[in-house]
Amino acid sequence: MQATAAAFLACPHPRLLRIGRWGPDGIALVRGGIVALPPRLRGPRCSVSLAIGGGAGASEDRGFSYEHVPVFPRYRIRDPYKLLGVDRDASEEEIRSARNFLIQQYAGHEPSEEAIEGAYEKIIMKSYQQRKKTKINLKTKLKKRVEESPSWVKALLGYFEVPSMDIISRRLFFFAFIAGWSIATSAENGPAFQLAISLFSCIYFLNDKMKNLLRASTTGFGVLVGGWIVGSLLVPLIPTFIIPPSWSLELLTSLVAYIFLFLGCTFLK
């Protein structure tokens, strides 16, 4: 404050400039309650105004100060799991929650935010690489098992294929709709009409792959007969207390047949 006051008095002031003379002993004259210094004590005209509070405050005004911003105490730790405070077997949801909580707690301190974000990205990237590696290893193991299997197993697997997920999901939705339709109308009549639609749809899907209508028709009808036989054998084994009273034996057998038709038209070559 003393430096600021001296700077203020050293600067020319309009009321000070109106004082025209000084006392012979060099004592400043007072006019209007303002003290004017003699010329030999006055400094040069001020060209830069100083901030109230001294040089330290002025230097802080020119840059950002972290003085009142909370600092993350673990932001220098290299282990991303220890930095975020999560276990190594934590789920992605737990890791994301820890990251969001810390970002909110230490917002404004750039080194802390960068350390938290960096640790989160390292953990997520490592998890993605592990899943990708596991998936590749699983495919490799399955392929190796097939190559080492007996010849009859290879011949049997040659009749099957795995289509894209888009094809699987669309056909699953279609047969699920047929099953729901059969359940909804089970009290009125049997599922004969729905079974006919599902059989013709299965033949259509098989013919699209086989390019042979006769073969596709034979395969589709065989899948329906096989599903009906399996359903007739399995349904009586189901406990009656878990089956709704309105569901007949014919309806339950039809539901098993829908599953076989879905698997046949989707995975058979």
Side-chain angles (χ1 to χ4, degrees), residues 7-126:
F8 175 77
L9 294 176
C11 295
H13 193 278
R15 297 182 65 182
L16 297 180
L17 294 176
R18 286 197 295 269
I19 299 176
R21 56 194 181 85
W22 302 86
D25 53 356
I27 302 300
L29 300 179
V30 179
R31 176 179 298 179
I34 298 176
V35 179
L37 297 177
R40 58 186 176 84
L41 297 179
R42 282 190 295 170
R45 292 175 177 263
C46 294
S47 59
V48 179
S49 61
L50 299 177
I52 301 298
S59 62
E60 290 181 358
D61 291 340
R62 288 194 296 269
F64 184 78
S65 175
Y66 297 117
E67 182 179 355
H68 302 293
V69 177
V71 179
F72 185 39
R74 300 193 303 270
Y75 80 96
R76 295 184 182 274
I77 297 179
R78 294 182 176 273
D79 190 342
Y81 294 94
K82 292 182 179 179
L83 191 144
L84 293 183
V86 297
D87 297 331
R88 294 188 178 275
D89 57 349
S91 64
E92 292 188 7
E93 184 64 27
E94 293 174 340
I95 297 170
R96 190 179 299 108
S97 299
R99 173 255 182 197
N100 294 338
F101 175 77
L102 293 176
I103 285 292
Q104 293 177 358
Q105 289 292 317
Y106 302 100
H109 189 260
E110 186 174 352
S112 298
E113 293 179 348
E114 291 179 354
I116 295 168
E117 291 287 357
Y120 173 74
E121 292 176 358
K122 286 181 181 178
I123 295 175
I124 295 301
M125 183 60 65
K126 184 178 180 180

Side-chain angles (χ1 to χ4, degrees), residues 218-248:
T218 305
T219 304
F221 187 76
V223 169
L224 175 62
V225 172
W228 192 269
I229 294 173
V230 173
S232 301
L233 297 175
L234 290 179
V235 169
L237 301 178
I238 302 176
T240 56
F241 66 89
I242 65 174
I243 301 176
S246 60
W247 288 23
S248 62

Side-chain angles (χ1 to χ4, degrees), residues 129-183:
Q129 291 175 353
Q130 288 179 349
R131 289 199 306 267
K132 186 176 180 181
K133 185 178 179 180
T134 303
K135 186 176 180 180
I136 293 174
N137 291 340
L138 181 61
K139 289 183 177 180
T140 304
K141 290 180 179 179
L142 289 176
K143 187 177 180 181
K144 186 177 180 180
R145 287 289 183 87
V146 172
E147 292 176 352
E148 295 176 353
S149 60
S151 58
W152 66 270
V153 175
K154 294 180 181 179
L156 182 62
L157 293 176
Y159 291 101
F160 296 92
E161 66 177 359
V162 180
S164 63
M165 287 301 300
D166 183 52
I167 294 176
I168 295 175
S169 59
R170 283 187 295 174
R171 294 183 184 176
L172 179 61
F173 175 80
F174 173 76
F175 283 98
F177 171 76
I178 295 293
W181 184 13
S182 301
I183 294 172

